[in-house]
Amino acid sequence: MHDTESRADEALDRAFMALADPVRRGIIARLSRGEATVNELAEPFSISVQAVSKHIQVLEAAGLVTRTRDAQRRPVHLAPEALERLTSWIDGYRLAHEQRFRRLDAIVQGPAAARTRTASSENETTNTNNAKKEKKS
Amino acid sequence: MHDTESRADEALDRAFMALADPVRRGIIARLSRGEATVNELAEPFSISVQAVSKHIQVLEAAGLVTRTRDAQRRPVHLAPEALERLTSWIDGYRLAHEQRFRRLDAIVQGPAAARTRTASSENETTNTNNAKKEKKS
DNA sequence: GCATTATTCAACCTATCTGTTGATCAACGT
DNA sequence: ACGTTGATCAACAGATAGGTTGAATAATGC
């Protein structure tokens, strides 16, 4: 089963999993327009307030939102840094893939052009996370 | 009850859910360096090939990878457009949120003291990008 | 044809997710 | 002090995700 999983992996697990639900994405969308309480966030949905409260706990555990205190209300706020980490992770591999294609094109279109890869190795290490340490055994 | 969920939502569900697993993210990472077969993709992991095959089906259903045929092998390829759609979704709300804060800062810092917010919302002022630089009058 | 290789299908088990209802806690307002 | 409001906790149920093993499909190479 899930024996050993690094901290960075678990953080990405929670963050992506948190976004894999339309209710939670709706909450993110709402919060992008400003903070809101649990009851306010629950209003557009046809589920119980308790269910929304759980969703918010999932988002909070994923670091995607934070909470403050205002009397008996607990306003929820967006945490855009966490969202930025997700786009960074995705873009790391997406851009690496596209750049690899650019190199392939260079190779196909001429042997001399393939050597331009050595000069343009800037984006090869832009991954924010480990790409090779996925083994558990 | 998930009876009322649009097609776009379901696509995002599948895509984010697909990335919410370290094995599948490892597959994505591997594919960013070039196509690979199921057995090749399974090698770094301590799970069965069947399990990896299922993971690839999940990624394929999410549109994150495509497959071709080469004799009895079925090479898997990255589909960077789908990844790009995800970053677009995230960035949409992230940037909307940051822009909203820029407007708030402009309003608060316009007349006089901004103490009202800056003391009670420290985590919100930690914008990752060059905020506070722009000012919209 | 037949064994081999690559991959998938099928059945199953278990853990986790998402929702429910009912009770509880905490901070107001009067 | 007391009832109300906002939010969470607890216990439960149904669905599904992710893993296993064993059998089946499909293309390859003798």
Side-chain angles (χ1 to χ4, degrees):
Chain A
M1 291 186 173
H2 301 77
D3 351 317
T4 326
E5 188 171 337
S6 77
R7 277 289 172 275
D9 271 356
E10 290 175 11
L12 286 172
D13 282 2
R14 283 192 287 267
F16 281 123
M17 183 68 108
L19 293 181
D21 183 289
V23 172
R24 289 192 291 259
R25 285 198 306 277
I27 291 173
I28 294 288
R30 168 63 184 81
L31 292 178
S32 74
R33 301 196 295 275
E35 67 170 39
T37 67
V38 177
N39 276 298
E40 288 167 356
L41 291 169
E43 195 273 329
F45 301 102
S46 59
I47 59 177
S48 66
V49 180
Q50 291 98 316
V52 173
S53 181
K54 283 190 191 177
H55 279 301
I56 293 168
Q57 288 176 40
V58 171
L59 289 167
E60 190 178 22
L64 297 175
V65 305
T66 58
R67 321 194 61 171
T68 52
R69 196 167 241 300
D70 167 36
Q72 69 264 61
R73 290 164 200 83
R74 272 143 223 227
V76 188
H77 315 258
L78 203 63
E81 326 81 53
L83 292 175
E84 203 271 339
R85 277 194 290 274
L86 294 186
T87 60
S88 293
W89 187 92
I90 296 175
D91 285 347
Y93 295 112
R94 180 170 67 88
L95 299 176
H97 179 264
E98 286 173 356
Q99 201 173 40
R100 184 186 147 271
F101 263 133
R102 254 176 252 126
R103 288 199 300 271
L104 279 182
D105 286 344
I107 292 173
V108 166
Q109 291 174 4
R115 286 168 55 199
T116 60
R117 175 223 183 285
T118 322
S120 67
S121 63
E122 45 169 57
N123 216 345
E124 193 77 7
T125 57
T126 50
N127 291 335
T128 45
N129 298 83
N130 49 348
K132 340 203 155 206
K133 282 282 298 178
E134 206 73 35
K135 181 173 278 185
K136 322 177 177 183
S137 68
Chain B
M1 301 180 23
H2 299 161
D3 38 353
T4 25
E5 187 171 340
S6 76
R7 284 289 169 275
D9 270 357
E10 290 174 11
L12 286 172
D13 282 2
R14 282 191 288 267
F16 281 122
M17 183 68 107
L19 293 182
D21 183 288
V23 172
R24 289 193 291 258
R25 286 198 305 276
I27 291 173
I28 293 287
R30 167 64 184 82
L31 292 178
S32 75
R33 301 195 295 275
E35 67 169 40
T37 67
V38 177
N39 278 297
E40 289 167 355
L41 290 169
E43 194 274 330
F45 301 103
S46 60
I47 59 176
S48 67
V49 180
Q50 291 98 316
V52 173
S53 181
K54 282 192 192 175
H55 279 302
I56 293 168
Q57 289 177 46
V58 171
L59 288 167
E60 191 178 20
L64 297 175
V65 304
T66 58
R67 321 195 62 172
T68 51
R69 195 166 244 298
D70 167 36
Q72 71 263 61
R73 292 165 199 83
R74 322 202 54 142
V76 188
H77 316 258
L78 203 63
E81 327 82 51
L83 292 175
E84 204 270 338
R85 276 194 291 273
L86 294 187
T87 60
S88 293
W89 187 92
I90 296 175
D91 285 348
Y93 295 113
R94 181 170 66 86
L95 299 177
H97 179 263
E98 287 174 355
Q99 201 172 35
R100 184 184 145 272
F101 262 132
R102 256 178 244 125
R103 287 197 298 271
L104 279 182
D105 285 345
I107 292 172
V108 169
Q109 293 177 3
R115 283 274 191 285
T116 326
R117 268 193 59 253
T118 40
S120 64
S121 63
E122 50 176 1
N123 47 7
E124 289 174 336
T125 59
T126 60
N127 285 331
T128 49
N129 278 346
N130 44 1
K132 310 226 147 47
K133 218 37 186 322
E134 276 189 0
K135 196 142 68 106
K136 323 196 67 163
S137 57

